[in-house]
Amino acid sequence: AYTRILDMGLRSAIAREVALRIGTGESDRINPYVNTAAAYYSVAGLLIVVMTGIVAYFFPVWFDVQPQYHRASQIMVLCSGLTIACLIPQNAYGAVVSGLQRYDILSGVQILVAVVRAVLIFAFLERLGIGGALILVAAVEGGTRLAGAVVQTLAALRLCPQVKYRPWRADRALLWGMLSFGINSVVFMMALTVGTQLAQILIGAFMSTAQATDFSVALMFLVAGHSFVVMFGISTRVVASTYDGKGNVNAIKHLLLRSSRYSGLISVAGVVLMLLFDEVFLQLWVGAKYSGSDGASALQAIVVTFRILTIAYALFWIVLPAYNVVNGLGRHRFPAIV
């Protein structure tokens, strides 16, 4: 997951440039930005290959893997890392699709990838031992994601004929300009990643493995809501860039007010529903595993933790539209640092 930091916010920078250039009628200037980002991503991919080799070699020692699973765990890491190395250059073209506001393509590909991944894992997982299962999950996860990224790349080349694959024509000045925009997005995303990882570490320290697993299952509903709000926000960001290119200040103000209103309504409704029904859901889902007084207190700990995170996520959802609008305008340095 930490390899996402190597994106350096270029994906959001490209999406903004695509929307901005279309707004100003300068779509012929999109290609240099995409090629520059593709060149950077290619270098990042090589760096990931090196990092993957190091992690794969030391993985059994660092994570105290049982001897019979050493080879399988190393192959798992190699599958995951090398797939990411091949995947990251595709970000330049997926960003073009986002900048064109073709979220139907992005969402359709993601849904198809998720369905194929689930079918393959359910079809073959039980037939394998633990070692084979590790390799299967890594290969299927990486392979389906890579296939989806290739489809997005082909879609970008078809929808935007100005874009040609020419990473050797990278422009260093454009790269620094995009990085100065994107680094603020990276700061923002790093804060979220660190916060999430810290929460997982604390949950793992204070809960048993079974509790942590049950909590993760319950958390999926919260993550689903989070994904919906974030994807809604990404579209807001691109629309703000388009209006910025057209110099339409009134439309930007209207976008900010309307998106904040919708996000606030979604946040309040989501929190109310989750706080009302989370305990009922957990009782139905895993209640049988928590019998007796100790079990009841353990289940209550999961419920309380879930509620705390629900409120925290909701506060984030409420402020996200404002951040996305200023991000689309390229003025998000201060909000990102905050």
Side-chain angles (χ1 to χ4, degrees):
Y2 288 109
T3 56
R4 295 174 186 171
I5 296 173
L6 290 174
D7 179 85
M8 295 300 289
L10 284 188
R11 187 180 177 103
S12 61
I14 296 171
R16 178 177 184 271
E17 288 297 335
V18 170
L20 189 65
R21 298 304 167 188
I22 290 176
T24 57
E26 300 173 303
S27 57
D28 56 313
R29 295 181 59 185
I30 292 174
N31 199 43
Y33 289 94
V34 178
N35 285 330
T36 300
Y40 167 83
Y41 283 135
S42 298
V43 175
L46 293 175
L47 179 60
I48 291 173
V49 170
V50 175
M51 292 166 56
T52 298
I54 295 172
V55 174
Y57 183 80
F58 291 104
F59 189 86
V61 178
W62 288 347
F63 294 95
D64 195 23
V65 178
Q66 297 177 31
Q68 65 268 35
Y69 302 128
H70 279 195
R71 179 60 59 85
S73 67
Q74 290 175 319
I75 295 174
M76 175 195 70
V77 173
L78 288 172
C79 285
S80 299
L82 296 180
T83 302
I84 293 172
C86 296
L87 185 68
I88 194 168
Q90 313 288 334
N91 284 351
Y93 303 93
V96 172
V97 180
S98 180
L100 295 172
Q101 300 183 51
R102 290 303 305 269
Y103 300 107
D104 54 333
I105 295 176
L106 295 175
S107 300
V109 170
Q110 290 176 0
I111 291 170
L112 182 61
V113 164
V115 170
V116 172
R117 179 190 306 143
V119 169
L120 290 174
I121 290 177
F122 278 118
F124 297 104
L125 191 62
E126 288 189 354
R127 304 180 187 181
L128 302 171
I130 293 178
L134 289 173
I135 297 172
L136 171 72
V137 172
V140 169
E141 168 75 18
T144 52
R145 286 181 62 198
L146 183 57
V150 170
V151 172
Q152 291 180 16
T153 297
L154 295 175
L157 297 175
R158 184 178 180 84
L159 293 170
C160 196
Q162 301 91 335
V163 174
K164 307 292 183 183
Y165 183 74
R166 303 286 189 275
W168 51 87
R169 294 185 179 176
D171 187 320
R172 188 176 299 178
L174 289 182
L175 177 62
W176 288 118
M178 287 192 291
L179 287 176
S180 66
F181 172 88
I183 193 66
N184 299 303
S185 299
V186 172
V187 171
F188 185 71
M189 292 308 299
M190 282 178 63
L192 295 179
T193 300
V194 171
T196 303
Q197 294 296 324
L198 180 60
Q200 292 178 352
I201 290 170
L202 291 174
I203 288 166
F206 290 101
M207 289 184 177
S208 67
T209 304
Q211 280 181 275
T213 303
D214 292 336
F215 173 78
S216 297
V217 172
L219 193 63
M220 286 300 101
F221 290 90
L222 184 59
V223 171
H226 178 71
S227 299
F228 178 82
V229 175
V230 169
M231 290 306 296
F232 173 76
I234 290 174
S235 63
T236 304
R237 184 186 310 169
V238 176
V239 173
S241 296
T242 304
Y243 288 151
D244 189 32
K246 296 178 179 179
N248 194 336
V249 178
N250 289 330
I252 293 172
K253 291 180 179 178
H254 182 72
L255 176 67
L256 174 60
L257 293 173
R258 182 67 64 86
S259 60
S260 297
R261 184 185 307 162
Y262 287 161
S263 185
L265 289 173
I266 292 171
S267 301
V268 171
V271 169
V272 170
L273 286 173
M274 289 180 185
L275 295 184
L276 284 176
F277 297 107
D278 57 353
E279 190 167 3
V280 175
F281 164 75
L282 284 168
Q283 284 286 358
L284 293 173
W285 187 263
V286 296
K289 295 168 60 177
Y290 296 91
S291 58
S293 58
D294 292 341
S297 62
L299 185 62
Q300 191 61 32
I302 297 176
V303 172
V304 171
T305 308
F306 179 78
R307 288 177 175 176
I308 292 172
L309 282 181
T310 297
I311 294 172
Y313 268 88
L315 292 174
F316 170 75
W317 295 341
I318 290 172
V319 301
L320 187 60
Y323 173 79
N324 280 315
V325 170
V326 296
N327 182 288
L329 301 177
R331 303 172 187 172
H332 58 300
R333 179 174 299 173
F334 178 73
I337 294 172
V338 171

